Amino acid sequence: MQLLHQFLIYFIYNSCDLHNTYSCTSLKPPTLFSKMLKERRVLSANCCLVFVLCLQLTVRIVSGSLNYEGSGAGSVGTAARVVKKDERTRMVATEFGSISAVDINDGYGRNEYHLQFITMEPNALFLPVLLHADMVFYVHTGSGKLSWTEGDDVDEVSLQKGDVYRLKSGTLFFLHSNVEPERSRFRIIAMFSNPDEQLLGPSVGPYSSITDLVRGFDKPVLQASFQVPEEVIDELTSTTETPAIVHYDQKRKNKFWEEEFIFINALFGIRRLRNQRADNKKKHTETFNIYKEDPDFENCHGWSKVVTKHDLHALHGSQIGVFMVNLSKGSIMGPHWNPSATEVSVVIEGEGMVQVVCPSALTNKECKNSRIRVEEGDVFTVPRFHPMAQTSFNNGSLVFMGFSTASKKNHPQFLAGKASVLQTLDKFILGVSFNVSNTTVGELLAAQKESIILDCTSCAEEQEIVMEEEIEKARREEEERKREEEEARRREEEEKKRQEEEEKRRREEEERKRREEEERKREEEEAARRKEEEEKKRQEEEEKRRREEKERKRREEEERKREEEEAEAARRKEEEEKRRREDEEERKREEEEEAARREEEEKRKQEEEEWKRREEEERKRKEEEEAAAARKRQEEEERKREEEAKRREEEERKREEEEARKREQEEEEERRQQEEEKQRQQEQEEERRREEESRRRQEKEQKRREQEEEQKRQQEEEEQRRQQKEEEKRQQEEQKRKEEEMKEEQRRQEEEQQRQQEEEREEEQRRQEEEKRQQKEQQKRQEERQRKEKEKGRKREEEQRRREEQSEREEEEQRRQEEERGRGEEESEEEMARREEEERMKRQREQEEGGWRWGDLKFNTKSRSQ
């Protein structure tokens, strides 16, 4: 293929020199074409094979070696562009004429071409304009005159149907239509280009009116420039705006030329307007008329003509050439491509079909082969290196002219006929390229005896049917795509709705759990608060009882002290009374008795203080017992709280076990779904394998049928050659129809197979995307579960640590309580022994005091008696 690629590149640019006899611009073989006209041979069945294989070569060979510069980067849509007649932009419309424009690109969005269609009624005048770009035009109908400036002169040339001419950028010109007997309109088709801007129409427009250029200046500037009175400038600037096309008044002809001379002379400094006609005869300003010159190529199916700078001197320096093609009924301009220029064509008569093939179909998937139906007035473009074929219908001819983006000699490369590029290639290379035998290649090259313009009966009608089928197919595909998008959107909305419902259920479940948790916490807090209040109330009651008991004991102690004081007071009074009675009798003993009394009083006070001390110790002992009882109650409450905490921990453990069981169930369900998915994939794989085997069987069956059909066709052709000419013609036509039907059926089957394969690929892609999405979701869920398990493990560790700390605190508290209890028991035993010792000593003292008092009393009594 690389060798073929290099050879074709070399051949394309040199084939015109090698086969000058068959080029479009010089094809005039009188012997061959006179023989063809006499015999009027028609295409055999192999001609259809020629046409089909030529189109296949377009994709296989041309796309690999003749790609457009940049390999079609940035191209979009179809390979050709068309603008219908009713889609033109109306620029001027008066009762004396109209101007419409078309802006059309080359299908790649790189070059924009500007065409204008000027229509003038008889005896109408196209007012002077200044060209901003080169103008190449063709006279479609009618006749008239063209006047323009060139240097310091004004030239004039007569125009008629078929004339081609060019005006350079910066030229000032105007047109005048003649009055013909048939009152035909003067129609001009013009293309504007700028060599410095790569054929793009300038941003300021193709031309501007002289009146607009002059009236744009201020009056003082105009007056100083033209050196005319102010009244002239006022009249010039105050008049209403004149349309671009007006009626030409014959009575004002001389006056018009004088005014025009004054105006142009002042504006451009032209001095030789009066000698215009004489100078015009001397100048070589001839136009080129397509209808008066011989065609470059002509046969019974039509003719073609190309106008270049060699034919028209005015085209020197221009990048635009002109061509015209006339196809008779049921004819075709054979498949060909233009290697050096883009073609911008205008249909001037009849209707037909244009088929354009993408040369970069293998590298640019966005470019599409196109079929377009054209009729009178339509404009269509074909980019360079894009193979094309123009076909006329059986009921009428197709005539179109156009502009090519190169004014030099153009050598289109044809695929079929004697001028075919395939004729110069080795048959073995062609056979390898098409994957066919050398015999088939030989039949392919030897069948067609004509060239350039070929017979193709009903080809345009069949292309139109195919185009309509493609349009209908595209419409169905678009509807299917919209339906799929709608279905996808509906599924997406349902999925979104389902997710929203699940999210809503999840939120409701979380809200319910949160409310339950809050209710449980509230109940626990309420129970704790009630328990705390009860404990506080109980403590307050105990405190109240302790205060009452303490108050009672205090009152009893005060009462006892008061009674003791009263008894003591009575006793002292009695003793004093006795002492006073005995004062006189016992003065000598008074001091002794007084001393004894003071000593007794001191002892009594000591006994009272001892008794008070024992009472205080008893009270402290009772308070300590009460405090110990309170601590015991607190320990009991602490124990109950610990039991409640243990109960809650047990409940938490049960909940965790329940969650673990639920997780195990979810994992089991997930494993089950994975197994089902795996089984479904295996079934799908088995189904695809069966479909692939079925498709291969169908392809084998199709190949077998094609081979049988091919053998049958060869037998029929052998039989047809033995019959008469009329029978051979009829059989050839029948065979041609059968082959076309077979190919059409094969094409439909291939399209159906391609569609099925595309649907399978799309389904497989969607399934893979769905599997990826499910895997991502499963991975997210697994990560979420792992995160939750880690969180729960962390909580369990914290809970275990907290329990261990609580256990350590409880053990420490228990040890402390045991130590305190041991110390309390030791202190209680020591206290009890100390109290018993104190009681024993008290009883002993009382006994001693009682004995002393009894002995003293006896001694005193005896002394008094004495």
Side-chain angles (χ1 to χ4, degrees):
M1 289 303 294
Q2 185 177 5
L3 177 64
L4 177 62
H5 181 190
Q6 295 175 355
F7 180 79
L8 282 176
I9 292 176
Y10 175 80
F11 173 76
I12 287 170
Y13 292 99
N14 296 278
S15 58
C16 292
D17 296 331
L18 296 174
H19 301 282
N20 193 39
T21 308
Y22 299 99
S23 64
C24 267
T25 55
S26 60
L27 244 168
K28 294 181 181 179
T31 306
L32 175 62
F33 294 133
S34 60
K35 184 178 180 180
M36 291 171 62
L37 291 173
K38 290 179 181 179
E39 295 180 357
R40 297 187 63 83
R41 299 178 61 185
V42 297
L43 291 172
S44 64
N46 288 332
C47 295
C48 296
L49 181 61
V50 172
F51 181 72
V52 173
L53 292 179
C54 288
L55 292 181
Q56 291 179 353
L57 182 66
T58 297
V59 179
R60 292 190 178 184
I61 300 179
V62 178
S63 64
S65 59
L66 300 177
N67 284 340
Y68 193 84
E69 292 181 5
S71 300
S75 63
V76 294
T78 57
R81 288 287 185 269
V82 61
V83 177
K84 308 300 288 185
K85 184 178 181 180
D86 54 1
E87 295 176 352
R88 297 177 185 173
T89 303
R90 183 61 62 90
M91 302 178 64
V92 176
T94 68
E95 60 179 323
F96 306 109
S98 64
I99 302 175
S100 60
V102 168
D103 290 303
I104 187 170
N105 59 42
D106 59 357
Y108 287 87
R110 294 179 177 178
N111 297 321
E112 190 83 12
Y113 307 104
H114 183 77
L115 281 74
Q116 286 195 5
F117 300 83
I118 303 173
T119 302
M120 300 171 60
E121 297 291 337
N123 201 26
L125 182 67
F126 180 85
L127 296 179
V129 295
L130 177 64
L131 278 176
H132 300 161
D134 285 2
M135 173 182 173
V136 178
F137 64 87
Y138 164 78
V139 180
H140 182 23
T141 60
S143 63
K145 292 182 180 180
L146 168 67
S147 301
W148 75 97
T149 63
E150 185 173 357
D152 295 337
D153 300 330
V154 175
D155 296 327
E156 180 181 286
V157 65
S158 297
L159 301 175
Q160 58 183 333
K161 179 180 179 180
D163 281 349
V164 177
Y165 201 69
R166 174 217 177 191
L167 295 175
K168 298 180 180 179
S169 173
T171 301
L172 177 73
F173 80 95
F174 58 90
L175 294 169
H176 170 224
S177 61
N178 295 333
V179 180
E180 297 181 348
E182 60 272 15
R183 301 289 294 177
S184 61
R185 294 178 178 178
F186 186 39
R187 291 188 177 92
I188 290 178
I189 302 173
M191 180 174 177
F192 298 88
S193 68
N194 191 335
D196 297 334
E197 298 185 9
Q198 299 180 353
L199 300 174
L200 293 174
S203 58
V204 295
Y207 52 76
S208 59
S209 172
I210 292 298
T211 57
D212 294 337
L213 297 177
V214 174
R215 290 176 179 175
F217 292 98
D218 296 335
K219 292 181 180 180
V221 175
L222 294 176
Q223 187 175 357
S225 301
F226 287 97
Q227 292 294 317
V228 294
E230 184 178 358
E231 293 79 8
V232 177
I233 300 300
D234 292 339
E235 182 180 359
L236 182 67
T237 58
S238 61
T239 56
T240 58
E241 185 177 356
T242 307
I245 301 176
V246 297
H247 178 65
Y248 181 66
D249 190 356
Q250 189 69 22
K251 297 178 181 180
R252 296 183 58 197
K253 177 178 179 181
N254 295 330
K255 186 177 179 180
F256 170 78
W257 281 110
E258 292 176 359
E259 294 176 352
E260 193 69 25
F261 168 74
I262 294 172
F263 182 72
I264 296 175
N265 180 31
L267 188 62
F268 295 96
I270 299 174
R271 299 295 180 182
R272 285 180 285 181
L273 182 63
R274 297 185 183 278
N275 298 326
Q276 167 193 341
R277 292 176 179 82
D279 293 340
N280 190 37
K281 292 180 181 179
K282 298 177 182 179
K283 293 178 69 68
H284 184 69
T285 56
E286 295 181 354
T287 62
F288 184 90
N289 193 285
I290 292 179
Y291 296 110
K292 292 181 180 180
E293 300 294 335
D294 294 334
D296 294 336
F297 173 81
E298 183 177 10
N299 63 9
C300 60
H301 307 300
W303 57 269
S304 66
K305 178 66 180 177
V306 177
V307 182
T308 65
K309 61 184 178 181
H310 300 289
D311 302 310
L312 178 62
H313 184 268
L315 290 179
H316 278 279
S318 173
Q319 292 188 15
I320 302 177
V322 181
F323 63 89
M324 178 175 285
V325 176
N326 188 324
L327 300 177
S328 58
K329 299 178 181 180
S331 300
I332 182 174
M333 190 78 168
H336 64 285
W337 68 86
N338 196 322
S340 58
T342 297
E343 296 182 2
V344 183
S345 305
V346 181
V347 180
I348 60 178
E349 182 182 344
E351 55 186 6
M353 295 294 298
V354 179
Q355 185 172 7
V356 183
V357 178
C358 286
S360 54
L362 298 179
T363 58
N364 188 355
K365 301 301 181 181
E366 295 181 353
C367 182
K368 298 179 180 179
N369 300 337
S370 59
R371 295 182 181 86
I372 53 177
R373 191 183 194 279
V374 295
E375 55 189 9
E376 184 177 348
D378 292 348
V379 181
F380 63 93
T381 62
V382 180
R384 60 186 296 204
F385 292 131
H386 282 61
M388 62 187 132
Q390 297 92 350
T391 313
S392 61
F393 289 96
N394 293 338
N395 57 357
S397 61
L398 172 63
V399 182
F400 59 93
M401 63 80 54
F403 306 92
S404 61
T405 58
S407 62
K408 61 184 179 180
K409 275 198 175 293
N410 219 330
H411 302 288
Q413 306 300 311
F414 285 83
L415 292 173
K418 292 299 181 181
S420 172
V421 297
L422 305 181
Q423 297 286 350
T424 60
L425 298 179
D426 186 81
K427 293 182 179 181
F428 174 75
I429 296 177
L430 285 178
V432 174
S433 301
F434 287 101
N435 196 18
V436 296
S437 63
N438 293 340
T439 304
T440 303
V441 174
E443 293 179 358
L444 172 70
L445 300 179
Q448 180 58 267
K449 301 301 181 182
E450 300 178 352
S451 61
I452 314 298
I453 301 177
L454 313 172
D455 178 32
C456 194
T457 306
S458 302
C459 291
E461 286 80 1
E462 292 175 0
Q463 288 186 34
E464 184 177 20
I465 294 173
V466 173
M467 181 186 68
E468 292 175 354
E469 291 177 353
E470 291 177 349
I471 293 173
E472 180 64 21
K473 180 182 177 182
R475 183 186 64 79
R476 289 195 302 269
E477 290 177 353
E478 181 67 18
E479 292 178 353
E480 182 66 22
R481 185 184 63 79
K482 290 181 178 179
R483 193 159 52 247
E484 290 178 356
E485 289 178 354
E486 182 67 22
E487 182 67 21
R489 186 181 61 79
R490 185 182 61 79
R491 287 196 301 269
E492 185 177 354
E493 290 178 354
E494 291 178 354
E495 180 67 19
K496 186 177 180 181
K497 186 177 180 181
R498 184 183 64 77
Q499 291 178 357
E500 290 176 353
E501 291 177 354
E502 290 180 354
E503 182 67 20
K504 183 178 179 181
R505 286 196 300 271
R506 186 181 62 79
R507 287 196 300 268
E508 290 176 353
E509 182 67 20
E510 290 178 355
E511 183 66 21
R512 183 183 63 79
K513 291 181 179 180
R514 186 183 61 80
R515 287 197 300 269
E516 291 178 355
E517 184 68 19
E518 290 178 354
E519 184 68 23
R520 183 182 62 77
K521 289 182 179 180
R522 191 165 54 251
E523 290 177 355
E524 290 178 355
E525 290 174 357
E526 183 68 22
R529 186 181 60 79
R530 285 197 303 270
K531 188 175 181 180
E532 185 177 356
E533 288 177 355
E534 291 175 356
E535 181 66 23
K536 186 176 180 182
K537 186 176 179 182
R538 186 181 60 77
Q539 291 178 359
E540 289 177 354
E541 291 176 354
E542 289 179 356
E543 183 68 24
K544 184 178 179 182
R545 284 195 301 271
R546 284 196 300 269
R547 285 195 302 270
E548 290 176 353
E549 182 68 22
K550 189 175 181 181
E551 183 67 22
R552 183 183 62 79
K553 289 180 179 180
R554 186 184 61 79
R555 286 195 301 269
E556 289 178 354
E557 182 69 21
E558 289 177 354
E559 184 68 24
R560 185 183 62 78
K561 286 180 180 181
R562 191 173 57 254
E563 289 176 356
E564 288 178 355
E565 288 176 357
E566 289 176 355
E568 185 66 24
R571 186 178 63 78
R572 282 196 304 269
K573 187 177 180 180
E574 186 178 353
E575 288 177 356
E576 287 176 359
E577 185 67 24
K578 288 179 180 180
R579 279 190 303 270
R580 280 193 304 269
R581 287 192 305 267
E582 295 174 355
D583 207 12
E584 294 178 356
E585 296 178 354
E586 299 178 354
R587 281 189 184 93
K588 293 179 180 180
R589 285 190 301 111
E590 222 173 53
E591 292 179 1
E592 295 178 1
E593 291 178 359
E594 182 66 24
R597 187 183 60 79
R598 282 195 301 273
E599 185 179 354
E600 185 180 355
E601 184 69 22
E602 183 66 26
K603 289 180 179 181
R604 186 183 60 80
K605 287 181 179 180
Q606 290 178 357
E607 289 176 358
E608 288 178 356
E609 289 177 359
E610 181 66 23
W611 183 81
K612 288 179 180 180
R613 186 181 61 79
R614 286 197 300 271
E615 288 289 332
E616 183 67 22
E617 289 177 355
E618 183 67 21
R619 183 180 61 77
K620 288 181 179 181
R621 184 181 62 78
K622 289 181 179 180
E623 288 179 355
E624 288 177 356
E625 290 177 355
E626 290 174 356
R631 285 196 300 272
K632 187 174 182 181
R633 286 193 298 271
Q634 289 179 358
E635 291 173 358
E636 185 67 22
E637 291 172 359
E638 183 68 23
R639 184 181 62 77
K640 290 181 179 179
R641 284 195 295 271
E642 290 175 357
E643 290 177 356
E644 181 67 20
K646 290 180 179 179
R647 184 182 60 80
R648 287 197 295 271
E649 289 175 359
E650 184 66 22
E651 292 177 356
E652 181 67 21
R653 184 182 61 78
K654 290 181 179 179
R655 283 196 298 272
E656 291 178 355
E657 290 177 355
E658 184 66 23
E659 291 178 357
R661 189 166 58 254
K662 288 182 180 179
R663 285 196 301 272
E664 290 177 357
Q665 292 177 358
E666 291 177 356
E667 292 174 356
E668 183 65 25
E669 180 65 21
E670 185 175 351
R671 287 194 296 272
R672 186 182 60 79
Q673 291 178 359
Q674 290 177 356
E675 291 175 357
E676 291 178 355
E677 180 66 19
K678 184 176 181 181
Q679 184 177 1
R680 185 176 63 82
Q681 291 177 358
Q682 292 176 355
E683 292 176 355
Q684 290 179 355
E685 185 67 25
E686 182 66 21
E687 182 66 22
R688 285 195 298 272
R689 187 180 60 78
R690 288 196 297 271
E691 291 177 356
E692 183 68 21
E693 291 178 356
S694 177
R695 185 178 62 80
R696 286 198 294 268
R697 286 196 299 273
Q698 291 178 1
E699 291 177 354
K700 290 180 181 179
E701 184 66 22
Q702 181 66 24
K703 288 180 180 179
R704 185 183 59 78
R705 287 198 300 269
E706 289 176 357
Q707 292 175 358
E708 292 176 355
E709 290 291 334
E710 182 67 21
Q711 293 175 359
K712 183 178 179 181
R713 182 179 61 79
Q714 292 176 358
Q715 293 174 0
E716 290 177 354
E717 288 177 352
E718 184 66 26
E719 183 68 21
Q720 288 169 1
R721 284 194 292 271
R722 292 194 295 269
Q723 296 176 0
Q724 296 178 357
K725 278 188 176 182
E726 291 86 2
E727 187 65 23
E728 181 182 0
K729 180 179 179 180
R730 184 184 62 80
Q731 289 179 356
Q732 287 175 352
E733 292 176 353
E734 182 67 22
Q735 183 65 22
K736 176 182 176 181
R737 185 183 61 80
K738 288 182 179 180
E739 288 183 354
E740 289 173 353
E741 290 177 355
M742 182 184 66
K743 290 175 182 178
E744 180 66 22
E745 179 65 24
Q746 181 181 358
R747 184 184 61 81
R748 284 197 295 269
Q749 289 179 358
E750 290 176 354
E751 290 178 353
E752 182 65 22
Q753 290 178 359
Q754 292 177 359
R755 185 183 64 80
Q756 291 178 357
Q757 293 175 359
E758 185 68 24
E759 290 177 353
E760 290 176 358
R761 286 195 296 270
E762 291 177 355
E763 181 66 25
E764 180 66 19
Q765 185 176 2
R766 286 196 296 271
R767 186 186 64 76
Q768 292 178 357
E769 291 177 354
E770 182 65 21
E771 289 178 356
K772 290 181 180 178
R773 185 184 65 79
Q774 291 179 358
Q775 290 177 359
K776 288 181 179 179
E777 291 179 354
Q778 183 178 355
Q779 186 177 2
K780 288 181 180 179
R781 289 196 298 269
Q782 188 173 0
E783 291 175 355
E784 183 67 19
R785 286 196 298 272
Q786 291 177 356
R787 185 183 64 79
K788 290 181 178 180
E789 288 176 357
K790 289 181 181 179
E791 184 68 20
K792 289 180 179 179
R794 185 180 61 80
K795 289 182 179 179
R796 283 195 296 270
E797 290 176 358
E798 292 178 355
E799 183 66 22
Q800 183 67 22
R801 190 168 55 253
R802 187 182 63 79
R803 289 176 182 175
E804 291 175 356
E805 292 176 356
Q806 182 68 20
S807 177
E808 290 175 357
R809 285 197 299 271
E810 289 176 356
E811 291 176 357
E812 184 67 25
E813 182 66 21
Q814 187 176 0
R815 285 194 302 271
R816 186 181 61 79
Q817 290 177 1
E818 289 177 356
E819 290 175 358
E820 290 178 353
R821 192 159 49 249
R823 286 195 300 269
E825 290 177 355
E826 291 176 359
E827 290 176 356
S828 299
E829 291 177 356
E830 292 176 357
E831 183 66 24
M832 288 174 65
R834 187 179 59 80
R835 282 199 300 270
E836 289 176 355
E837 183 65 25
E838 288 176 354
E839 288 291 336
R840 187 180 61 77
M841 291 175 68
K842 182 179 179 182
R843 287 193 301 270
Q844 188 177 357
R845 282 195 303 271
E846 287 177 354
Q847 289 176 3
E848 289 175 355
E849 287 177 357
W852 178 78
R853 288 178 182 176
W854 176 254
D856 191 28
L857 181 59
K858 285 172 47 175
F859 176 76
N860 289 334
T861 305
K862 186 178 180 182
S863 296
R864 281 193 299 269
S865 65
Q866 290 179 355

